[in-house]
Amino acid sequence: NAGVTQTPKFQVLKTGQSMTLQCAQDMNHEYMSWYRQDPGMGLRLIHYSVGAGITDQGEVPNGYNVSRSTTEDFPLRLLSAAPSQTSVYFCASSYSGFRPGGYTFGSGTRLTVV
Amino acid sequence: AQKITQTQPGMFVQEKEAVTLDCTYDTSDQSYGLFWYKQPSSGEMIFLIYQGSYDEQNATEGRYSLNFQKARKSANLVISASQLGDSAMYFCAMREGPGTNAGKSTFGDGTTLTVKP
């Protein structure tokens, strides 16, 4: 089925460890983004991309890196995990411009840093 | 900088009645898009409805409609004939562009809707 695939769904890390959250979409969407959602709160933008080779920082980029070498993939790397990064992470993609459709979201990754 | 404000942390509605969820936005761009998403307790994010800043008519998608008042910078979501399955958190979001902010969406803090039987 077409959509956004995020892996893993759950992850527990120790403080200081690094890891990569994977995100892939098969809809040929130009835009891709990573958000984090803390309990009871809205989504905050970490990094986003408007096309392969183009990325930019969002509202809360510190401690995270991204790259976009292909249209399909947009991995998020945690450099040195901290308890403050405990959150649910969503990857999302969409067409560029304002076609009448919003983001398609992945199912989320629930990350706990101990 | 773009900003979305949802002033209702929680709302209750009786089954089969209509409910309006408020959203105001702030932007200096003339071209932007407004979106509403639903997040059930299972956690997934579901796109509901879109309104472009140049659209003259309010968007509708089934039981969802967007009451767009451009001069007041408001984009309220109206759900008609509420169902128990509508109980969820609802997020308003905006994306500016084209330009330097293209591709970047800002979300409000959400409104938790509870539908009573």
Side-chain angles (χ1 to χ4, degrees), chain B residues 4-80:
Chain B
I4 296 285
T5 303
Q6 294 180 253
T7 57
Q8 307 154 313
M11 289 281 287
F12 291 89
V13 65
Q14 207 68 34
E15 193 178 9
K16 300 181 184 177
E17 292 185 350
V19 63
T20 298
L21 307 184
D22 294 341
C23 173
T24 58
Y25 61 92
D26 189 23
T27 178
S28 55
D29 272 22
Q30 296 301 310
S31 179
Y32 51 89
L34 296 157
F35 306 82
W36 278 91
Y37 295 87
K38 174 183 179 181
Q39 186 176 42
S41 58
S42 52
E44 72 267 33
M45 293 286 292
I46 303 165
F47 163 71
L48 294 177
I49 195 167
Y50 158 84
Q51 178 86 40
S53 59
Y54 293 115
D55 294 341
E56 294 187 351
Q57 291 191 326
N58 287 341
T60 59
E61 290 287 346
R63 294 187 298 110
Y64 304 109
S65 61
L66 199 153
N67 185 359
F68 180 46
Q69 298 186 44
K70 193 170 182 176
R72 298 180 62 182
K73 293 188 175 179
S74 79
N76 298 339
L77 177 70
V78 180
I79 305 175
S80 63

Side-chain angles (χ1 to χ4, degrees), chain A residues 7-36:
Chain A
T7 55
K9 292 191 184 305
F10 301 93
Q11 183 71 49
V12 179
L13 287 180
K14 294 182 178 179
T15 297
Q17 287 184 318
S18 64
M19 78 161 295
T20 299
L21 307 185
Q22 301 292 342
C23 177
Q25 53 94 5
D26 58 2
M27 297 168 285
N28 206 30
H29 283 168
E30 297 92 346
Y31 292 171
M32 295 188 75
S33 299
W34 277 102
Y35 288 88
R36 61 176 287 174

